[in-house]
Amino acid sequence: MGPDAAFDLITCVHGLHYVGDKLGVIARAASWLTDDGLFAANLDVRSVRRADGTPAGRRLAADLRASGLVYDARNKRVSCRGRREIDLPWSYLGADNRAGPNYTGQAAVDSYYAVA
């Protein structure tokens, strides 16, 4: 269930570091945009892990791009313009709040996913 209105701008500056289901938040935010709205968030793909604990890395970046999102690895930013339904082949399993500091030096949460 989403909001009753669409949004022109949705941003998340370093907030996804603390979220368990990062990919679920990204998918929902993209679906809440207006037709020309903008979504932008910081995302370090190293904090997204496969079920065995290995980093999602390039596979996740490729899947984000294939779904119509823009992933800028250098700036660790994911974005899209315009409302879209995102269907990533990643199923959320849970999170670990003992991940330690992320690239900003702040405590972070690692998110675990099964990959189809």
Side-chain angles (χ1 to χ4, degrees):
M1 181 176 202
D4 293 334
F7 299 93
D8 294 322
L9 177 64
I10 300 172
T11 62
C12 186
V13 178
H14 301 300
L16 290 178
H17 301 310
Y18 308 108
V19 172
D21 187 6
K22 295 164 178 49
L23 303 181
V25 168
I26 291 167
R28 284 189 299 281
S31 74
W32 297 339
L33 292 171
T34 59
D35 290 340
D36 61 346
L38 174 65
F39 165 69
N42 293 99
L43 174 68
D44 184 359
V45 295
R46 293 178 300 169
S47 69
V48 177
R49 305 202 167 255
R50 299 169 194 259
D52 65 4
T54 58
R58 291 182 183 167
R59 164 71 194 272
L60 176 58
D63 287 346
L64 291 169
R65 291 178 182 121
S67 71
L69 295 164
V70 174
Y71 182 68
D72 176 351
R74 181 173 185 206
N75 293 303
K76 297 174 178 51
R77 190 172 303 125
V78 62
S79 63
C80 71
R81 183 163 292 280
R83 183 184 185 286
R84 63 191 69 230
E85 297 297 323
I86 305 294
D87 187 23
L88 294 166
W90 297 73
S91 299
Y92 180 62
L93 300 174
D96 180 3
N97 66 353
R98 297 167 294 162
N102 61 17
Y103 72 97
T104 69
Q106 298 174 337
V109 170
D110 281 340
S111 303
Y112 291 81
Y113 293 84
V115 184

